[in-house]
Amino acid sequence: MPSRAACPAAPQVAEVLQAQANNLTQQGRVADGLRVEERYVRLRPRDSSAHYHLACRYAVLQKRDQAISTLRRAVELGFRDFRSMSRDES
């Protein structure tokens, strides 16, 4: 994977992907949002929040095993917003 120096647009691309995944999900296109979120996680594999949002999309799509393993990975990477997690409807 290229470093940020080699690919300076990567942070902006990742942010656009996250916004696109959110928009698709809000439009009820959760499966499309999931595919975009998976691309986002590939760009930011160590981003705990990205893994958390991916886990939420898996949960909404009833993909329980993937949701649990992805949520576990988010926590391993440092996700600690347990208050939001307990209120999240997905």
Side-chain angles (χ1 to χ4, degrees), residues 12-25:
Q12 292 83 6
V13 170
E15 290 170 12
V16 168
L17 288 174
Q18 186 177 39
Q20 183 182 23
N22 289 336
N23 288 338
L24 288 166
T25 299

Side-chain angles (χ1 to χ4, degrees), residues 2-67:
S3 70
R4 284 188 179 187
C7 186
Q12 292 83 6
V13 170
E15 290 170 12
V16 168
L17 288 174
Q18 186 177 39
Q20 183 182 23
N22 289 336
N23 288 338
L24 288 166
T25 299
Q26 288 174 355
Q27 294 172 9
R29 297 173 56 192
V30 182
D32 293 331
L34 172 68
R35 284 190 287 280
V36 174
E37 194 76 52
E38 288 171 334
R39 288 177 58 201
Y40 176 67
V41 167
R42 283 193 299 274
L43 280 176
R44 298 254 174 104
R46 303 218 30 94
D47 185 329
S48 64
S49 181
H51 284 270
Y52 172 73
H53 291 291
L54 180 59
C56 291
R57 292 188 211 300
Y58 282 135
V60 168
L61 291 169
Q62 309 280 319
K63 297 180 181 224
R64 179 176 289 170
D65 292 340
Q66 290 164 300

